[in-house]
Each structure stands twice: as C-alpha cells, then as structure tokens.
Amino acid sequence: MSDLNTQSRSAAGNAADRPLAKLISRVQVQRGTGRMVLLLIAVFALFALLNPRVFLNPINLQNIGVGAPEIGLISLAMMIAMLTGGIDLSVVAIANMSAITVSSLYTAVAAGAGPEVAGSLSLLFVLAGLGMGALLGAVNGVLISVVGVTPILTTLGTMQLFNGLALVWTGGVTISGAPPAVTAIGKATLVGVPVLFLVLILAAVVIAVVINRTAIGRKIQLQGANPVAARYSGISSRSTLMLTYVVSGVLGGLAGLVFLARNPSASADYGSSYVLLAIVIAVLGGTNPNGGFATVLGVILATLTLQVVSSGFTAMRLSAYEYAIAQGVLLIAVMVFDQLKFRRRRKVPPPTPSETGDPAIPRRGKERAK
Amino acid sequence: MEMLGRLRGPNNEGVLAAVIVVVVIAMSIASPVFFTPGTFFGLARSSLVPLIFALGVLLVMISGGIDVSFPAIAIFAAYTTVSWSNQASFDPTLVGVFAIALVIGALWGLLNGVVIARFRLPTLIVTLGTQGVVRGILLTYIGSAYISAAKLPPSVSAAGDAHLVDVPGAGYLHGMLVPVVMITVLVWWMLKYSAFGRSIFAIGGDIEAARRVGIKVVRTQVLLYVLVGALAAFGGVVAVILGKNANPQSLVGTELDIIAAVVLGGASIFGGRGSVLGTVLGVVLVQLINNNLVLIGIPSTWQRAAVGVLLIIGVSIQALTAMRARKTPVLLEEEVARA
C-alpha cells in the first residue's frame, strides 16, 4: 500500500493541474483495484471448487448480496473519513441510533394512530433515520473541525456517547418493529439481485462521483493528501471536514436502515464488531490510512471479497473464529506484501515510519503538535 | 500562580485529580452509603485489571502507536495457561501460572513488534489483524469452553480469595492489589529513569530524531511490544483470579474503553507524552463513574453516555488548550480566509 501512499499522495495533490500526474494516479487506481479483482476471483473460485454444491447455490449467492450492503455502507463511511486522514469509529453507533429512531417512531405512531397511518408515513421515518445520521455526523464534524480534536479521539468519545444514548433510549433491550415498506425492500429482488445490494451500488456510485468528479470531492482528497497545501490553496479545511463527517454519518444512517430492512428490530449493540471489520475492508480496498487516497471500487470489491470468504467458510463448515483468523492474516499479509514490493522497486531505504504513520495519527495533527 | 501551574501537572493530572475529588464529594452528598470502605475497596478491585491494560496502552501510545490487540492476547495467555494445567491436572503454582502466561503474552507481543517495527506498518491496523488471529486461534484450536472455579488450578482459585484487608460487613481489599501496585511503580520508574523508557518517549516524540541520536528504533519497538504483550497476559491472569473463572469470550471488546481511560489521563495520541499518574487517575475516574452511578440514583444505562461525555469534554479541553498554545497555524487559516 505504501507504494501507493507516497506517490499517490503527491499525485493526488497535483492531479488538479497536471494531466500527467492525473494519468499516473488513474493507473495506480486501476492497479489497486486490479489486485482486489484478482483476489475476489481467486477466493470465489477457491470456494466454488471446494464445495460447489453449497457455495454456488443461488440462495448462497443471494445471501452474499443481502449481507454485503450493511457492512459495505459502513466501510464506505469509514473510507470517506480515512480519505481526509481521519477515521470514524462511531459509524456503527450512528447506524444503530438511526435504526432505533426509525423503529421507535414507527412503533409509537403505529400504537397511537394504527399501523396504516404509520405505514403511510414510512418515507418520513426513513428521512428521520437519515437525518439522525446526518445530525450525529455533524456532532463529529463540529468536534473535529471547530474544536480541533483529532478524529480518532472524537469518534472514540462519540462512539461511547451515541452508544450510551442508544442504551438509554432503548433501556438496553432490542426494540422491534419497522415500517413495512422498509422490510419489503429487505426481501425484494430485481432480476434475482437483492434490492439492498442495488442500494449499496447506488450509494457507491454517488460517493464515487462526488469524490472523483466534483470540486468538493477534490477538496476532500487534497485535505487528506496534504492539509498544509490544502490550506495554502485556499481550501477551508473546516467546511471540508464538516461535510466529510456529515456524509459519513448519513452513510451510517443508511446502514441503519439496511439493518432494519434485514431484520425489523433495532438495538444499541448490534454489529459492534463491524467497526474493526470496516477498517479492515477500507484498508484492503486500497484506502491509505494516512489520507489522500481511496477508491470506492476497491472498497466495494474488498467488501465482496470478505463476504465471499465469510460465506465460503460457512459453506465449508468453518467457524466464525476461523474467519477472524483469515481476516487478520489477509490484512497483515497484504500490508507486508505491499511494503516488500515497494522496497524492491525503489531499492532505496524504506520510508521512515513518520511517513507510514498511524491512521490514528493524521499527519496534519502531527505537524500541528510540533 | 507558579504553584498552581505545578499542581496542574505536565499532563493535566492535577485537573483530573480535582475532577475526581469533586465527583467523590458530589457522590458522598448524593448518597450516604457512598463514603464507606466497601465502595473504595470495590473501586480498587474493579480498577486492577483495567489499570494493567492501561499501562500497556500508555507505553504503546507514548511510542506513537495504538494497540487494540491486548485484550485478545490477555485472555489467550490466561485461558491457555489454566486450560493446559487443567488438562494435565498439574498446578504450576501461582508464580508458575503467571510465568507461563507472561511467556505466551510476550510471544504474541514479539509478533506484533516484529511486524510493526520491521515492516514499518501502521500499529492500529497491524494490531487489528493480530487481534483477529489471536482470538481466532484461541477459540478454534485451544478451547471455547468456560472454565469454572472448580476446574481452575487450586493455586489460582485460592488467590481469588486472598484478601489484604477484611472489614466485616463492609467488604475486603483484594490481595492482587499488591502486585498491580508494584507493576505500576515499576512502569513509572522505567519511563522516568531507564534508558529504555526515555527511548520510548524519544521515538514517540520524533522517530527520525530518535534514530539520529543513536536510539535503536527497531529493537526498542520490538522490546516494547514484547513488554506490552507480557503486561496484557498479566492483566489476563489477574482477571481470571478476580473472576474465579476463565471465559475465552471475555475481555475482548474492552480495548476502546481502556484507550479512552488512558486518553483521559492525558496521554497524547501523537506519542511522546503521557504519564503513569495520569493513567491511574484516568482509570480511577472511569471506574468511579462506572461503579457508582446507580448509587447516586442515575440508572446504569447512563454509564456509557456519561463516560463518553467525560471523554469528549476531556479531549476538547486538551485540543482547545493546544490550539491556543500554537497560534501560528490558526493565524494562517485566518490569512487564507481573508485572501
């Protein structure tokens, strides 16, 4: 990854004004995603060979399509935050808050005015859920861009806070009930493809267009690539970061709606293991934890790869714990592989760790701290 | 004024201590049963394991990294040790149990250290990977069954009842307090006076500068993660002793709470800054709130939210103070806005 890091960082920084750099960065994008395509095909072929009867069963393939959206949306949210050199640990808590909002609004109205009235207000509830995501994302945004707290600490705190508020709201129990329209979407398929999967693809396309084709997307990339340069070129890091975390929150809210669509209930602690899984997916998908570089396609491919590995492991009757081993080994192996490839090609001393620093430690913060 | 500054401490330890005093006074007023030995013995007991973990997190954070694998390593080491001695019907004695677990923890730490230092990879992502591997190997190949008190080595179950002070009717102070305090003092001494401790600060402050003054960065980092792995294992064994059972599913998931306590204690996530005193105070404050909200009439469901608010306020104050301290970048931003 580091070969992408250092070069794409400079490439992305100049991409706006130098066609050559733009071309180079495009090729690198394709190589990063090219690797994920190969990996996806490889794991798919592996499980298809090992246990074709179970794995290639259309129901299993559909399950992959239904399972991918919630983790895919959370990974996209994580990717967007990482693109600016931050991280969003609170995204799963936001998703749960959104699901709880929709579920409790619906059940409250259904209990008061009857299920028919509540059903007709479905769209309103869905918007309320997304609004909750945006609001909580804005809380992150204010703390990060105005107060100046580093993203990892902000979202560590808000993760606890949002999770705590969800516990208070629900009293720690699972609440059930979801607008029928939402549950219907969870079950619907379009020419055999689950509609939820199409929701993920739609969200991915929107995010990809925003990042790669709009001015604000370029600002987000530049903010992550080189915050100091971004500041000098007149980009307001404040509004860029604010927008980034609101978008991340909305994606979290959308993930919450997908939770509800899959299973019409909401709780404070659903999907807590997704926080770390989303980081794994974002990094596997070629996102630079230091910011400045990420591809939506890479993240989607990584989501599918892990989903295929997960369902393949189930088909092979391997446990969830063996899946955890596979995740860990895959993550470390890909990073070590990238690092070795980078060293061989450059034939110069490897980058100092300050260059390949932590995602936890945005370079911007490091520079400010001195 | 100067004395006030000194009381505040280099990492706001004084502020934290003042907050703890205020919380204790408020809780005493709100609930007459709060200010009893039992409450404080309970506080001490529930702080033991988080404190050991927090010391490990502190060391990694001072070196400029972040570790999320320590709860997995802790329960791996502790569970493996007691499960082996259970299967072999052999009691290695308390010292033996600690020794075996520490070696296992140190080996996992060695893996973390080698991967991080040798390939210079981001610590959060590497330890995320090790977390999955360690937990997966434990539950797949070593055991996923709960080990009850009766199946623990007799020395371990006996240690669970070793009380330092016993106040009839009010509770007891657990004996494990002694080794935990000893380790805390040892870590404090190491960070303050040993060359190794100073190197950790130097690496966290500026890794390139540390290299140029002749610190062997790779060796120090590897050693650091070995030490942190051993500390995690120690915490795991203490958790088994206090809980009088070994549950392979336990501990994992607590990593972010521990990191929150360390951050509250004033350690800098950028590395190079942090203190043992601040960490102890951070852990105590979080445990104080976790244990006693119910006592003062606040439902326990507010626990997480309360700790979250505390953490956000804590890091916000730090960020605002830091922003005021370095004026230049702020001015630059204004200049840009004007231009």
Side-chain angles (χ1 to χ4, degrees):
Chain A
M1 226 150 295
S2 293
D3 53 341
L4 298 176
N5 288 358
T6 33
Q7 295 189 4
S8 65
R9 194 181 291 149
S10 54
N14 299 328
D17 46 48
R18 272 205 276 154
L20 183 67
K22 201 171 171 181
L23 192 73
I24 290 171
S25 86
R26 175 112 12 113
V27 171
Q28 280 168 341
V29 167
Q30 281 163 358
R31 209 182 49 204
T33 49
R35 181 183 71 193
M36 277 321 296
V37 171
L38 285 181
L39 200 58
L40 178 57
I41 293 173
V43 293
F44 194 90
L46 178 72
F47 292 117
L49 280 175
L50 286 173
N51 194 344
R53 206 174 47 82
V54 178
F55 186 77
L56 288 177
N57 190 316
I59 292 175
N60 185 51
L61 297 181
Q62 269 194 2
N63 279 341
I64 294 176
V66 177
E70 51 188 57
I71 183 62
L73 288 168
I74 289 169
S75 304
L76 282 178
M78 190 67 80
M79 179 211 82
I80 270 226
M82 278 188 172
L83 190 54
T84 58
I87 196 164
D88 190 349
L89 300 173
S90 69
V91 61
V92 174
I94 292 179
N96 284 326
M97 278 293 272
S98 150
I100 290 166
T101 307
V102 177
S103 183
S104 40
L105 277 178
Y106 172 77
T107 43
V109 174
E116 298 214 334
V117 181
S120 65
L121 292 173
S122 289
L123 185 65
L124 201 68
F125 299 150
V126 165
L127 289 177
L130 293 177
M132 177 58 90
L135 176 74
L136 299 183
V139 172
N140 283 334
V142 167
L143 284 168
I144 291 165
S145 65
V146 180
V147 184
V149 184
T150 47
I152 188 168
L153 294 185
T154 300
T155 54
L156 180 64
T158 54
M159 176 190 77
Q160 305 249 14
L161 175 64
F162 300 160
N163 197 266
L165 291 177
L167 276 173
V168 173
W169 189 345
T170 61
V173 297
T174 302
I175 55 174
S176 52
V182 173
T183 9
I185 289 175
K187 292 199 184 85
T189 57
L190 200 72
V191 254
V193 181
V195 172
L196 284 184
F197 189 69
L198 299 176
V199 169
L200 171 66
I201 298 302
L202 187 69
V205 169
V206 170
I207 295 292
V209 168
V210 169
I211 288 177
N212 297 317
R213 294 277 179 272
T214 66
I216 182 66
R218 193 142 285 152
K219 283 180 187 168
I220 290 176
Q221 289 193 18
L222 189 52
Q223 171 69 31
N226 190 337
V228 178
R231 190 181 300 141
Y232 278 107
S233 44
I235 291 172
S236 159
S237 69
R238 222 167 247 192
S239 58
T240 309
L241 287 174
M242 187 73 203
L243 185 88
T244 303
Y245 285 91
V246 170
V247 170
S248 174
V250 170
L251 282 171
L254 194 58
L257 290 170
V258 174
F259 290 177
L260 265 187
R262 288 234 297 158
N263 178 10
S265 64
S267 73
D269 52 5
Y270 182 78
S272 50
S273 64
Y274 283 175
V275 183
L276 303 182
L277 183 59
I279 299 176
V280 171
I281 288 176
V283 172
L284 277 184
T287 308
N288 176 3
N290 296 316
F293 183 75
T295 71
V296 172
L297 187 58
V299 170
I300 296 298
L301 289 170
T303 306
L304 286 176
T305 306
L306 281 179
Q307 204 64 36
V308 165
V309 172
S310 165
S311 84
F313 271 39
T314 316
M316 300 293 300
R317 295 180 182 282
L318 295 171
S319 71
Y321 309 124
E322 282 159 301
Y323 175 50
I325 302 178
Q327 271 177 29
V329 171
L330 205 61
L331 183 66
I332 295 176
V334 166
M335 284 197 303
V336 168
F337 174 77
D338 276 339
Q339 191 71 15
L340 290 177
K341 200 172 66 180
F342 172 67
R343 285 187 192 185
R344 213 172 37 233
R345 231 184 27 181
R346 283 275 299 270
K347 290 248 168 73
V348 291
T352 60
S354 54
E355 280 175 298
T356 56
D358 256 29
I361 302 159
R363 290 157 7 95
R364 169 175 40 89
K366 189 100 189 171
E367 278 150 14
R368 266 202 211 156
K370 277 172 203 160
Chain B
M1 202 58 209
E2 197 179 305
M3 211 183 84
L4 272 178
R6 199 177 301 157
L7 277 180
R8 195 172 152 201
N11 297 321
N12 290 334
E13 290 96 341
V15 177
L16 204 53
V19 171
I20 293 178
V21 170
V22 169
V23 170
V24 167
I25 292 174
M27 284 181 166
S28 310
I29 294 170
S31 160
V33 290
F34 174 80
F35 208 83
T36 53
T39 307
F40 291 96
F41 291 169
L43 179 68
R45 183 190 153 93
S46 68
S47 303
L48 293 180
V49 177
L51 179 58
I52 290 290
F53 289 157
L55 289 173
V57 169
L58 173 73
L59 292 176
V60 173
M61 222 183 251
I62 289 176
S63 82
I66 208 163
D67 182 356
V68 292
S69 67
F70 62 89
I73 293 178
I75 194 62
F76 184 104
Y79 183 87
T80 307
T81 309
V82 294
S83 144
W84 278 348
S85 56
N86 181 28
Q87 277 162 19
S89 306
F90 167 71
D91 184 356
T93 75
L94 203 56
V95 175
V97 167
F98 272 113
I100 298 169
L102 255 57
V103 169
I104 297 173
L107 284 174
W108 278 121
L110 182 67
L111 178 75
N112 267 341
V114 168
V115 173
I116 287 168
R118 172 80 180 71
F119 299 104
R120 308 181 187 203
L121 296 172
T123 55
L124 174 69
I125 318 266
V126 170
T127 53
L128 210 56
T130 11
Q131 183 201 48
V133 173
V134 172
R135 187 167 151 76
I137 291 178
L138 172 65
L139 292 161
T140 313
Y141 304 111
I142 302 201
S144 53
Y146 172 94
I147 298 179
S148 64
K151 288 182 182 162
L152 287 179
S155 60
V156 172
S157 345
D161 291 318
H163 301 157
L164 209 59
V165 180
D166 220 328
V167 182
Y172 54 86
L173 197 56
H174 202 277
M176 276 295 131
L177 186 69
V178 177
V180 171
V181 167
M182 276 164 59
I183 285 180
T184 310
V185 172
L186 219 63
V187 171
W188 169 81
W189 178 87
M190 188 192 83
L191 280 175
K192 200 164 169 62
Y193 295 109
S194 77
F196 177 67
R198 302 315 302 176
S199 318
I200 299 176
F201 273 103
I203 290 175
D206 187 333
I207 196 159
E208 196 48 47
R211 194 191 315 279
R212 291 194 189 169
V213 297
I215 292 171
K216 293 198 167 50
V217 171
V218 171
R219 200 164 72 186
T220 310
Q221 272 185 320
V222 170
L223 208 63
L224 168 71
Y225 282 94
V226 168
L227 184 66
V228 169
L231 264 179
F234 189 90
V237 175
V238 173
V240 167
I241 290 174
L242 292 180
K244 291 185 198 160
N245 69 68
N247 179 1
Q249 305 277 8
S250 69
L251 298 181
V252 176
T254 60
E255 56 272 4
L256 295 179
D257 299 337
I258 306 281
I259 293 171
V262 176
V263 166
L264 211 55
S268 165
I269 200 133
F270 304 125
R273 213 159 57 87
S275 73
V276 170
L277 180 62
T279 302
V280 173
L281 294 174
V283 169
V284 166
L285 182 56
V286 168
Q287 292 303 324
L288 196 60
I289 287 172
N290 275 348
N291 289 358
N292 297 308
L293 273 187
V294 180
L295 215 57
I296 57 171
I298 298 170
S300 61
T301 42
W302 278 98
Q303 242 173 47
R304 266 188 101 72
V307 174
V309 168
L310 202 68
L311 181 61
I312 292 169
I313 293 174
V315 293
S316 297
I317 290 172
Q318 279 178 23
L320 290 173
T321 326
M323 211 183 261
R324 209 179 310 149
R326 40 187 154 77
K327 279 248 161 74
T328 336
V330 179
L331 279 177
L332 276 175
E333 205 159 37
E334 281 168 6
E335 279 163 21
V336 168
R338 236 182 285 132

